[in-house]
Amino acid sequence: MADPAAAATATAKAAAAAKATTVPTKARRSVEFRGGGFVPQSRRWIGLVVFIVLLLAAEAGTRSGFISNLTLPRPSDVLATFVELFQSGLLWKHLLPSVSRLMVGALLGATVGIGVGILIGLFSLVRAGLVPLVAAIFPIPKIALLPLFVIWFGIDEGSKYALIAFGTFTPTVVATYGAVDNVDRTLIRMGQSFSLSWFSIVRKIVLPGAMPGILSGLRISLAIAIILLVAAEMLGAEYGIGAYILEAGALYDLERLFVGVTILSILGVCVSAALTKVEKHLLRWRV
Amino acid sequence: MELQLENIGHSYDGLTVLQDISLNIPTGRIICVVGPSGCGKSTLLRLIGGLERPTTGQVLQLGSPPARSINPLTYIFQDFALLPWRTVEGNISLVLEDHQLKTAETAAIIDDVLARTKLSDFRTALPRQLSGGMKQRVAIARALAVSPAVMLMDEPLSALDSQTRELLMDDLIGLWIREKFTAIYVTHNLNEAVRLGHSIVILSRRPGQIREVVEIDIPLDQRHPGEPELESKQQHLWQMMRDEAAAADKELIDG
């Protein structure tokens, strides 16, 4: 370091120079703000507002005759149909079998999918053998296989479970092995350096580390499960939301069609909300 | 337990990173390994701890580790390697769970290491709530919990700011004074090396070879910053490394 006296004179000089440049006649203004934006912020009720505005527009349009009743059913009529369905007790008769099909099918598909995904992530032999197979069955529209499922699992619940399970299986596998691949290798190496057993490393490091990826994969898988629910109920289901929608569609009963679609949509929102709860609990170590 | 490296050499896909390294690691001393970036310091540490196999030569254990040592060769990593989903306590118990210890025994060990690293008030905190320095303290506590015979420290202070580094260096010296552990301390920071090392091994740039071993005889607790002898040793190390570091800096990463 230079001696302090020289440093002091240097600062004094610099201060004098700075003083000389701030000529008093120059205008003072604050620096223009250029930051901000690009940060998602939580605006809780906006989504609901958009929804309500759209519904009100549809209501106004159909009432004024701007939108004909053949194009779009009147939202208030749809609501009335829903209330009717609820009061007649048919709602539960349709909803309960659907929810149980969804739960059994999705549970089956997701469990097997997570299991296979973890095996693919852990063993290169399984990976080499199964990844091409999964890639081959992923793009097959599962609905196309419906007749096959009927032969394999019977026309009853079996084929419906199988269809939903099969549809949730592939996206879950892909998400799971991706998540396992993304587990921080330094953590695994840490586990090895403390001589943890293989099983301990998988259970205590790989699985929790893959959990965020698995859960976000489940979001997609469960949405697909709901889509497939309708397909599954195309086959000789007397009751079920899918059966209800198909029947309404065949009759061009738009009010009932929309009631059915709305129920599916609400079902989807509920599933997603439940997943968010699970995520909040399992991933509370994040953020 | 002593460690002995015999003609260690290592290469990745035909690229030699380490060559002909022979070294003795006596009990109760801290050996610092310094060298320009990419000279294979961290690779050497992985070889010593058995996380990788050397291409040539071997790492020998002389004698057996003390009976109470749960994990004789224990690492401390640069990026802490704490499980983000486990609390401070949970991260320490992780490394004890596989060893059939009694619950009371585990609790006693955790209490002891948390006290030694001044973390007792933070046992239920999650890693994300801790500063970098605190995270590394947790990692040190975790390493102490398995009472290692040799600590393998891979740039443990490099991810920390300089003030935290000073504090943790004091902590490490305090821990060593209390219980004279054996350590191999890899760093690129020469100041850390002269403060903590009983001997300092200087590696050349790739392929890494031992250029010189510098011994420092001043006891660890008397090595105050600014001490002339340390300064001159550090200067000497830098003189030796300077050209190597400059040359290493100009190398393409994958040759």
Side-chain angles (χ1 to χ4, degrees):
Chain A
M1 208 43 223
D3 70 305
T9 40
T11 16
K13 265 184 191 163
K19 215 171 205 172
T21 49
T22 49
V23 186
T25 52
K26 287 237 168 101
R28 277 155 41 98
R29 61 190 178 91
S30 57
V31 172
E32 196 186 331
F33 176 67
R34 293 178 290 179
F38 298 102
V39 181
Q41 284 169 337
S42 111
R43 299 247 199 277
R44 298 200 70 154
W45 302 108
I46 301 293
L48 199 63
V49 169
V50 169
F51 204 65
I52 290 170
V53 165
L54 278 178
L55 279 182
L56 286 180
E59 182 75 28
T62 42
R63 272 185 196 277
S64 67
F66 180 69
I67 303 171
S68 91
N69 269 349
L70 278 176
T71 325
L72 197 68
R74 198 175 287 176
S76 55
D77 288 349
V78 174
L79 186 66
T81 315
F82 179 76
V83 170
E84 198 182 297
L85 183 72
F86 180 74
Q87 280 168 347
S88 66
L90 274 175
L91 175 65
W92 300 115
K93 240 179 174 165
H94 284 299
L95 197 57
L96 290 181
S98 284
V99 169
S100 81
R101 280 166 198 149
L102 187 69
M103 290 226 290
V104 173
L107 199 71
L108 216 66
T111 316
V112 179
I114 291 174
V116 172
I118 287 170
L119 291 180
I120 290 179
L122 290 177
F123 303 105
S124 359
L125 200 67
V126 182
R127 172 182 304 249
L130 289 189
V131 168
L133 186 67
V134 170
I137 48 180
F138 202 170
I140 298 175
K142 308 299 175 296
I143 305 165
L145 298 178
L146 207 52
L148 197 64
F149 283 130
V150 171
I151 297 170
W152 285 355
F153 303 104
I155 191 103
D156 293 335
E157 298 298 296
S159 59
K160 298 178 180 65
Y161 294 153
L163 183 74
I164 296 170
F166 202 51
T168 37
F169 169 75
T170 34
T172 311
V173 170
V174 173
T176 305
Y177 80 70
V180 173
D181 289 350
N182 274 329
V183 173
D184 193 349
R185 295 292 121 173
T186 58
L187 293 182
I188 295 177
R189 182 162 289 162
M190 181 277 291
Q192 292 175 321
S193 82
F194 280 97
S195 306
L196 300 193
S197 67
W198 181 88
F199 189 68
S200 274
I201 291 178
V202 171
R203 194 164 63 88
K204 296 171 186 168
I205 300 178
V206 175
L207 274 186
M211 203 43 85
I214 293 176
L215 287 177
S216 63
L218 273 187
R219 248 173 222 288
I220 298 170
S221 310
L222 292 183
I224 291 177
I226 295 177
I227 295 174
L228 286 174
L229 179 66
V230 180
E233 290 177 347
M234 281 160 88
L235 263 184
E238 191 182 349
Y239 291 109
I241 301 299
Y244 179 80
I245 291 175
L246 286 171
E247 194 193 311
L251 299 170
Y252 272 85
D253 187 341
L254 288 189
E255 280 86 18
R256 287 177 64 195
L257 184 81
F258 268 75
V259 167
V261 169
T262 309
I263 292 172
L264 284 185
S265 170
I266 292 170
L267 199 61
V269 171
C270 290
V271 166
S272 165
L275 255 180
T276 307
K277 262 235 142 66
V278 172
E279 253 175 10
K280 275 231 170 83
H281 178 74
L282 283 180
L283 308 181
R284 59 185 179 278
W285 49 273
R286 286 205 312 191
V287 188
Chain B
M1 187 182 83
E2 276 184 38
L3 289 180
Q4 194 168 27
L5 314 189
E6 264 187 9
N7 307 316
I8 296 281
H10 196 65
S11 43
Y12 293 110
D13 308 321
L15 179 74
T16 313
V17 285
L18 286 171
Q19 208 171 28
D20 207 20
I21 304 231
S22 295
L23 189 66
N24 245 352
I25 296 140
T27 313
R29 285 165 69 90
I30 301 179
I31 312 287
C32 285
V33 178
V34 297
S37 59
C39 72
K41 308 186 284 284
S42 299
T43 309
L44 183 63
L45 206 60
R46 284 201 292 276
L47 296 175
I48 296 174
L51 286 182
E52 261 179 79
R53 274 200 193 92
T55 316
T56 59
Q58 53 185 342
V59 182
L60 298 171
Q61 282 186 22
L62 306 183
S64 46
R68 59 186 189 87
S69 176
I70 296 173
N71 188 45
L73 302 172
T74 298
Y75 284 88
I76 292 175
F77 298 93
Q78 180 179 354
D79 50 9
F80 325 129
L82 299 176
L83 300 185
W85 48 87
R86 283 194 178 219
T87 58
V88 169
E89 216 173 358
N91 265 291
I92 299 171
S93 74
L94 171 83
V95 298
L96 300 170
E97 284 161 11
D98 273 17
H99 296 281
Q100 280 101 40
L101 296 171
K102 292 192 195 74
T103 323
E105 219 174 329
T106 307
I109 292 176
I110 294 176
D111 284 343
D112 174 48
V113 295
L114 286 179
R116 274 155 78 185
T117 48
K118 303 169 205 152
L119 284 168
S120 302
D121 295 339
F122 301 92
R123 47 191 320 155
T124 54
L126 285 169
R128 71 175 153 87
Q129 299 171 296
L130 301 175
S131 67
M134 295 297 269
K135 282 184 199 157
Q136 196 56 290
R137 281 202 180 88
V138 177
I140 292 169
R142 177 177 64 187
L144 292 173
V146 292
S147 29
V150 180
M151 293 246 241
L152 306 168
M153 308 167 101
D154 188 4
E155 308 220 16
L157 308 184
S158 295
L160 307 174
D161 61 75
S162 57
Q163 290 128 27
T164 316
R165 198 178 300 171
E166 280 296 327
L167 292 174
L168 265 162
M169 254 194 272
D170 290 344
D171 285 1
L172 283 176
I173 291 170
L175 286 170
W176 188 85
I177 299 291
R178 219 187 106 145
E179 190 175 2
K180 310 231 170 341
F181 57 84
T182 313
I184 302 164
Y185 188 107
V186 163
T187 181
H188 64 260
N189 185 315
L190 300 180
N191 182 256
E192 283 172 29
V194 296
R195 290 280 299 285
L196 295 171
H198 293 100
S199 47
I200 300 166
V201 177
I202 305 160
L203 291 186
S204 65
R205 80 188 145 102
R206 199 179 64 215
Q209 281 173 301
I210 296 181
R211 279 200 54 180
E212 197 183 318
V213 179
V214 176
E215 306 281 340
I216 302 183
D217 298 326
I218 314 173
L220 285 192
D221 51 344
Q222 288 165 32
R223 297 187 187 179
H224 307 295
E227 175 129 354
E229 194 183 336
L230 292 185
E231 294 279 320
S232 77
K233 292 270 189 198
Q234 191 177 336
Q235 208 54 43
H236 170 69
L237 291 175
W238 175 230
Q239 286 310 332
M240 231 179 333
M241 271 179 61
R242 189 186 181 107
D243 298 336
E244 299 267 355
D249 193 39
K250 293 196 182 84
E251 270 169 17
L252 289 175
I253 299 293
D254 40 16

